[in-house]
Amino acid sequence: MTIWTHLAQHSFEETPRLFLRPPLITDLAAFHELASDPQNVTYIFPAQASREESLHLWTHAFLKHPLGTWVLEDPHEHRLIGVIRLEKIQESLRQAEVGYFLHKKYWGQSLMAEALSHLCQILLESGGLESLSLQVHLENTASQRVAQKAGFELLRQFKGSDRYSRKMRDYLEFRRKRGRYE
């Protein structure tokens, strides 16, 4: 089984408090609400000023290649509250980088850690991937807590260029491997 067939088989998942599913064009309004508030996306991408900017980003970053992208859906409101996405998938090494963001209304409830833990269990323990990594801005302590709650361990600290501002920033890299940690 390839990584892609594995991802396809796990496109729809459920945790005790969330539905995890592929992104849809009908998520645009909820995505724009989240993406237009700078507090929600401080460490992810520039806030989207208009619905058209949000449509462009949503289409090209999330809808275009949906495998490996999960919308976190509130099962009561039936709307997008966050996203987890695999990036830099390396099929031959069976590894990927994971990124995520969550609407600030849901911060502090461990929802992202719940979703990330669930996906890690599926992706790592059932044979899809060998390792997952994630990079967090040094000052983003909330995301560091999410990574640790989801079973990631700190691998290293490094300086890197922010992909949007091009300014040098301090980052932490976390990794979780199948069956054991580095």
Side-chain angles (χ1 to χ4, degrees):
M1 179 181 316
T2 70
I3 288 174
W4 302 107
T5 54
H6 192 75
L7 291 173
Q9 289 179 327
H10 295 286
S11 294
F12 293 87
E13 291 293 326
E14 191 172 338
T15 72
R17 299 180 293 162
L18 295 166
F19 294 137
L20 307 176
R21 60 166 176 79
L24 303 169
I25 191 63
T26 53
D27 294 318
L28 181 59
F31 175 72
H32 177 64
E33 178 187 318
L34 188 157
S36 63
D37 184 336
Q39 278 189 297
N40 288 323
V41 295
T42 301
Y43 303 106
I44 314 298
F45 46 77
Q48 304 301 290
S50 70
R51 188 173 169 92
E52 291 75 29
E53 285 180 345
S54 291
L55 173 61
H56 182 82
L57 180 61
W58 188 243
T59 300
H60 292 277
F62 301 100
L63 292 176
K64 195 172 182 178
H65 302 287
L67 287 179
T69 301
W70 293 268
V71 163
L72 281 63
E73 180 181 301
D74 181 316
H76 306 292
E77 295 182 24
H78 299 288
R79 63 178 296 167
L80 172 149
I81 64 168
V83 174
I84 294 178
R85 181 173 77 163
L86 298 182
E87 301 174 343
K88 301 178 186 171
I89 297 170
Q90 297 181 42
E91 288 184 77
S92 62
L93 298 175
R94 302 188 74 75
Q95 64 187 30
E97 187 175 311
V98 63
Y100 48 81
F101 56 90
L102 185 68
H103 192 293
K104 68 182 180 186
K105 175 180 171 185
Y106 298 91
W107 292 354
Q109 300 175 41
S110 294
L111 291 170
M112 186 55 74
E114 177 180 311
L116 186 58
S117 294
H118 181 83
L119 289 173
C120 285
Q121 182 176 357
I122 289 166
L123 296 172
L124 295 171
E125 296 175 15
S126 65
L129 294 170
E130 293 289 328
S131 69
L132 288 169
S133 63
L134 60 92
Q135 295 179 5
V136 178
H137 291 89
L138 183 63
E139 63 271 21
N140 190 351
T141 57
S143 191
Q144 293 170 38
R145 284 192 304 275
V146 167
Q148 291 167 334
K149 284 181 182 180
F152 286 77
E153 291 193 346
L154 180 61
L155 185 63
R156 67 184 177 121
Q157 181 174 338
F158 66 97
K159 266 201 183 313
S161 174
D162 182 275
R163 70 173 112 175
Y164 296 102
S165 70
R166 305 289 187 243
K167 293 179 183 174
M168 292 302 287
R169 300 182 75 157
D170 288 311
Y171 290 88
L172 296 175
E173 182 176 0
F174 290 85
R175 180 158 297 157
R176 182 168 166 175
K177 293 186 84 169
R178 182 189 305 179
R180 63 178 174 76
Y181 304 127
E182 277 191 345

